[in-house]
Amino acid sequence: MRFMLMHKLDENKPELWQPDQAFIARMGAFIAEANQAGVLLAGEGLRPSSVDAGRITVTDGKKTVTDGPFAETKELIAGFALLQVRDKAEAMQWGQRFVDVFVEAGFDLEVDVRRVTEMEDLAA
């Protein structure tokens, strides 16, 4: 089963969006380890909403298109890792290791660990 790890960063702290070389090295080691274990399907960081971002909102059938930055949103998803694991417990173990990369750099953050809906889940 697939799980997505999504981490958020405070949009009002630009320094969080510019990781130093030590953080990049730690994240690279995590990615290499997850790749070697065969669980990492994809993993990327996202740019702040001030850089090449847009939002499409539909309310009561009316579509609104907004360019970034998104001043009304404090925290945004800043990156993700998509994992192929046996179960939620394994996803949570990898999630804690993912969080450790940020903790070692002194980040406060929140990581959501969410199971991906598969087609067979919808057929039931």
Side-chain angles (χ1 to χ4, degrees), residues 72-87:
E72 70 281 1
T73 305
K74 181 179 176 185
E75 288 193 333
L76 292 174
I77 296 173
F80 71 92
L82 182 61
L83 308 177
Q84 178 75 43
V85 294
R86 290 182 302 272
D87 53 27

Side-chain angles (χ1 to χ4, degrees), residues 95-114:
Q96 290 181 47
R97 293 164 83 176
F98 184 67
V99 165
D100 288 345
V101 174
F102 294 90
V103 170
E104 290 173 23
F107 283 69
D108 290 332
L109 80 155
E110 180 177 86
V111 172
D112 289 347
V113 179
R114 306 272 307 276

Side-chain angles (χ1 to χ4, degrees), residues 46-124:
L46 302 174
R47 304 285 297 175
S49 73
S50 61
V51 181
D52 297 327
R55 180 175 285 161
I56 303 164
T57 307
V58 178
T59 305
D60 295 326
K62 181 182 176 200
K63 188 185 309 177
T64 304
V65 178
T66 307
D67 285 331
F70 307 133
E72 70 281 1
T73 305
K74 181 179 176 185
E75 288 193 333
L76 292 174
I77 296 173
F80 71 92
L82 182 61
L83 308 177
Q84 178 75 43
V85 294
R86 290 182 302 272
D87 53 27
K88 179 184 171 191
E90 185 179 5
M92 293 301 289
Q93 289 172 349
W94 280 103
Q96 290 181 47
R97 293 164 83 176
F98 184 67
V99 165
D100 288 345
V101 174
F102 294 90
V103 170
E104 290 173 23
F107 283 69
D108 290 332
L109 80 155
E110 180 177 86
V111 172
D112 289 347
V113 179
R114 306 272 307 276
R115 185 170 173 205
V116 175
T117 300
E118 306 289 355
M119 285 303 290
E120 55 268 18
D121 296 326
L122 299 175

Side-chain angles (χ1 to χ4, degrees), residues 25-40:
R26 283 191 298 275
M27 184 58 76
F30 170 82
I31 290 169
E33 184 179 356
N35 262 327
Q36 189 170 19
V39 300
L40 184 65

